[in-house]
């Protein structure tokens, strides 16, 4: 497939996971408006196709391609990676955006707790499966949407699946800490390859997050916070910046808020924990 856009991202191919709504849809639209060919993913084929058509029409760039994949399933992530590799000879930017918050503990088809499986393991597996193509397309970028919610969290190696007691807040916070630690470890491993790895907090954003399975507490907090939340377009600004701005080329291994580098939590810089998390994740997704 060729790129048909014009603008500063013309000729670039970008994959935005979770591009059907919220921050991901606004990110995909922003990058398509800059002229990139943008692939988006979502679970439902019709909803994903409709979102791609919406974005293409809204920004006047027809190069928006839908891919359906449920990131909670490792088989689906592997299928998605193959479809992307078959469709695009080069991949300049991967935006790991898909994620969610589930009030009740859910178990995926692979027997894993859903928050950890989608928010972290899906990101880990997809990124690793696309890594050679990103390296071959260098300079390339991997942008992972984390959250300030990682702040109070610690990775719990004794109970990564929340089997001994599930708290949605804790599971979400740990998955977002995993996003940050994964990015730092990835940046170390990618040193010298021309592929950068950055992560970010988008802000509190008015999206569909949690709507699928929101408890009373989540609903109440979201309703009260609503007037103070960013729009999806405002929430996408840092993702778009990290995916496209020339200044970011040297920003690898950093966490960004409002398009500026910011310190993440103290535990997130623990390299031994990051290396252990990498190994456990590789085992859980069956990567050597
Ligand atoms: N909203 C906030 O205030 C906030 C704050 C900090 C961080 N974040 C992060 O921002 C990212 C985007 O969230 P959002 O707020 O924009 O929420 P959203 O509106 O609910 O969008 C989530 C996106 O992820 C996709 N998705 C969810 N579960 C999936 C799965 N199992 N497989 C594949 N795709 C899946 C959804 O696609 P389908 O439903 O179409 O499958 C949708 O496109 C998440 O990583 C979230 O943790 C959000």
């Amino acid at each position: 497939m060729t790129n048909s856009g014009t603008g500063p991202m013309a000729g670039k191919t970008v994959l935005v996971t979770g591009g059907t709504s919220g921050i991901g849809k606004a990110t995909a639209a922003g990058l398509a408006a800059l002229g990139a060919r943008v692939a988006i993913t979502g679970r439902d084929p019709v909803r994903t196709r409709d979102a791609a058509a919406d974005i293409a029409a809204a920004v006047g760039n027809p190069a928006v391609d839908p891919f359906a994949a449920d990131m909670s399933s490792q088989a689906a992530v592997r299928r998605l990676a193959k479809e992307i590799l078959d469709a695009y000879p080069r991949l300049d930017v991967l935006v790991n955006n898909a994620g969610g918050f589930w009030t009740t503990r859910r178990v995926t088809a692979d027997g894993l707790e859903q928050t950890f499986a989608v928010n972290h393991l899906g990101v880990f597996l997809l990124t690793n499966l696309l890594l050679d193509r990103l390296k071959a397309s260098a300079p390339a970028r991997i942008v992972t949407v984390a959250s300030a919610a990682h702040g109070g969290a610690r990775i719990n190696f004794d109970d990564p699946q929340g089997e001994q007691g599930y708290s949605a807040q804790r599971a979400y916070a740990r998955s977002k800490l995993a996003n940050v630690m994964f990015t730092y470890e990835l940046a170390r491993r990618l040193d010298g390859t021309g592929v950068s790895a950055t992560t970010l907090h988008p802000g509190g954003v008015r999206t569909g997050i949690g709507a699928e399975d929101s408890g009373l507490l989540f609903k109440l907090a979201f309703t009260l916070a609503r007037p103070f939340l960013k729009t999806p377009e405002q929430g996408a600004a840092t993702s778009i910046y990290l995916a496209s701005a020339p200044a970011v080329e040297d920003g690898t291994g950093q966490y960004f808020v409002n398009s500026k580098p910011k310190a993440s939590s103290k535990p997130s810089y623990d390299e031994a924990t990051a290396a252990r998390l990498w190994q456990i994740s590789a085992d859980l997704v069956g990567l050597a």
Side-chain angles (χ1 to χ4, degrees), residues 209-276:
I209 194 160
E212 212 169 276
D213 176 20
S214 48
L216 207 58
L217 208 68
F218 185 90
K219 258 193 203 132
L220 185 69
F222 218 69
T223 307
L224 290 175
R226 209 174 162 76
F228 308 102
L229 298 177
K230 292 181 178 181
T231 63
E233 290 69 30
Q234 291 166 334
T238 303
S239 296
I240 294 169
Y241 170 78
L242 292 175
S244 64
V248 179
E249 306 242 293
D250 298 330
T252 193
Q254 295 191 66
Y255 171 74
F256 288 75
V257 180
N258 291 326
S259 303
K260 295 203 169 50
K262 194 173 174 193
S264 52
S265 72
K266 197 158 172 257
S268 70
Y269 292 104
D270 183 336
E271 293 188 17
T273 303
R276 190 172 170 200

Side-chain angles (χ1 to χ4, degrees), residues 4 43 48 107 121 143 163-164 201 205 224 262:
S4 56
R43 279 165 292 186
T48 311
V107 176
L121 291 177
V143 179
E163 284 160 316
Q164 293 159 22
H201 170 55
V205 190
L224 290 175
K262 194 173 174 193

Side-chain angles (χ1 to χ4, degrees), residues 49-76:
R49 197 192 56 210
D50 288 352
D54 275 1
I55 296 168
V59 304
N61 177 356
V64 185
D65 307 320
F67 291 84
D70 183 341
M71 305 283 290
S72 74
S73 154
Q74 292 177 18

